[in-house]
Amino acid sequence: MAAALEISNLQAWYGESHILHNVNMTVQPGEVVTLLGRNGAGRTTTLRAIMGLTGARKGSIKVNGEEAIGLPTHRIAHLGIGYCPEERGIFSSLSTEENLMLPPHLNGADQGMSVAEIYAMFPNLEERKHSQGTRLSGGEQQMLAVARILRTGARLLLLDEISEGLAPVIVQGLARMITTLKSKGYTIVMVEQNFRFAAPLADRFYVMEHGQIVETFVASELSAKMPVLTELLGV
Ligand SMILES: Nc1ncnc2c1ncn2[C@@H]1O[C@H](COP(=O)(O)OP(=O)(O)OP(=O)(O)O)[C@@H](O)[C@H]1O
Ligand SMILES: [Mg+2]
């Protein structure tokens, strides 16, 4: 079976700024992988480069074996990728349910989750289905942002700092959501600053520094890697 995501020698620029230098990363179907790094390491840029949202890119990005490096963003999404950017992009004038009705189904992707399935997974979104986007708490907005992606049928999820700025009890809810999605076979790449949130969830870890991957290890190696992580991330 092809990797869900196979990135080789990826370089990316914003204008003249060369941000990513030879990023290599492979994610198998059903894996949860966490991309760690200090501020400005290039984690968001990696997710944006996968989606074709940076300037120039070089190298290879294969999604389920298909080369995506030359494709425009909408074609990349249609390979079955759902990108949840840090800024969430909830339509504030629309209700929760209207936000859930908007996303298009991706060609060729599995059927997305129905609104009923979404409500079964996120009961608090059902309670808030008539509330306007602006009325939702940060945690509810974050869940809605992920739920909208699940509606498209994407099976590979790129999640940028979903726990950021949320209260611990809400972050626990997001951790349960990741565990549920993993049990449903979704493939997840999470960018996280919150190491304590990411650590128990991930099958594998990548650490970035200055636009390169500087460490990679599996969950069972985590405790042995703590001294290195402390040095690289200050965790
Ligand atoms: N639109 C942009 N134009 C030019 N440079 C950018 C742009 N966005 C980010 N950069 C630069 O690219 C580098 C990597 O930024 P990136 O946003 O990928 O970091 P990050 O690892 O996600 O960290 P954080 O989210 O904590 O800022 C930084 O030096 C940043 O200043
Ligand atoms: Mg970032």
Side-chain angles (χ1 to χ4, degrees):
M1 189 160 37
L5 180 66
E6 187 173 7
I7 300 176
S8 318
N9 303 320
L10 176 64
Q11 302 190 53
W13 286 258
Y14 284 122
E16 300 281 289
S17 308
H18 190 175
I19 308 291
L20 299 184
H21 308 269
N22 278 329
V23 172
N24 293 283
M25 194 173 159
T26 305
V27 185
Q28 298 302 335
E31 263 194 315
V32 176
V33 163
T34 295
L35 188 52
L36 300 165
R38 287 182 191 272
N39 291 339
R43 298 161 304 151
T44 296
T45 305
T46 301
L47 299 188
R48 291 179 56 87
I50 294 167
M51 298 309 295
L53 292 167
T54 59
R57 299 176 296 160
K58 265 193 200 167
S60 170
I61 301 170
K62 286 189 179 160
V63 181
N64 299 318
E66 264 192 72
E67 185 55 69
I69 193 89
L71 301 179
T73 300
H74 69 278
R75 298 265 319 273
I76 296 169
H78 277 276
L79 297 175
I81 310 186
Y83 171 47
C84 187
E86 239 178 308
E87 55 277 11
R88 296 176 192 148
I90 301 300
F91 291 98
S92 54
S93 62
L94 300 182
S95 70
T96 297
E97 189 147 292
E98 286 166 337
N99 268 279
L100 287 174
M101 297 311 284
L102 278 180
H105 289 278
L106 299 175
N107 290 335
D110 292 346
Q111 196 91 63
M113 275 192 201
S114 66
V115 172
E117 284 174 283
I118 296 286
Y119 288 157
M121 196 171 155
F122 304 97
N124 46 338
L125 289 185
E126 182 165 25
E127 280 166 32
R128 304 286 269 144
K129 68 178 162 190
H130 300 303
S131 304
Q132 235 180 289
T134 38
R135 300 283 173 104
L136 302 179
S137 69
E140 287 166 342
Q141 286 188 23
Q142 189 62 72
M143 288 190 178
L144 179 55
V146 176
R148 270 201 324 196
I149 290 169
L150 300 176
R151 291 275 295 137
T152 67
R155 300 290 298 175
L156 169 59
L157 312 179
L158 310 179
L159 308 179
D160 200 349
E161 307 234 25
I162 58 169
S163 71
E164 196 186 14
L166 300 178
V169 57
I170 308 295
V171 173
Q172 280 171 26
L174 292 175
R176 281 194 298 276
M177 173 189 81
I178 298 291
T179 305
T180 304
L181 291 173
K182 183 177 163 61
S183 73
K184 290 178 185 285
Y186 286 86
T187 307
I188 302 174
V189 178
M190 296 196 301
V191 164
E192 270 304 325
Q193 195 72 9
N194 184 343
F195 178 74
R196 264 153 252 295
F197 166 62
L201 297 172
D203 298 308
R204 238 144 35 71
F205 297 83
Y206 285 94
V207 185
M208 284 197 96
E209 203 172 49
H210 307 305
Q212 300 191 51
I213 303 290
V214 293
E215 267 289 336
T216 171
F217 55 92
V218 297
S220 60
E221 297 171 301
L222 182 60
S223 49
K225 288 287 179 183
M226 280 314 292
V228 183
L229 286 180
T230 304
E231 191 176 318
L232 287 170
L233 309 171
V235 294

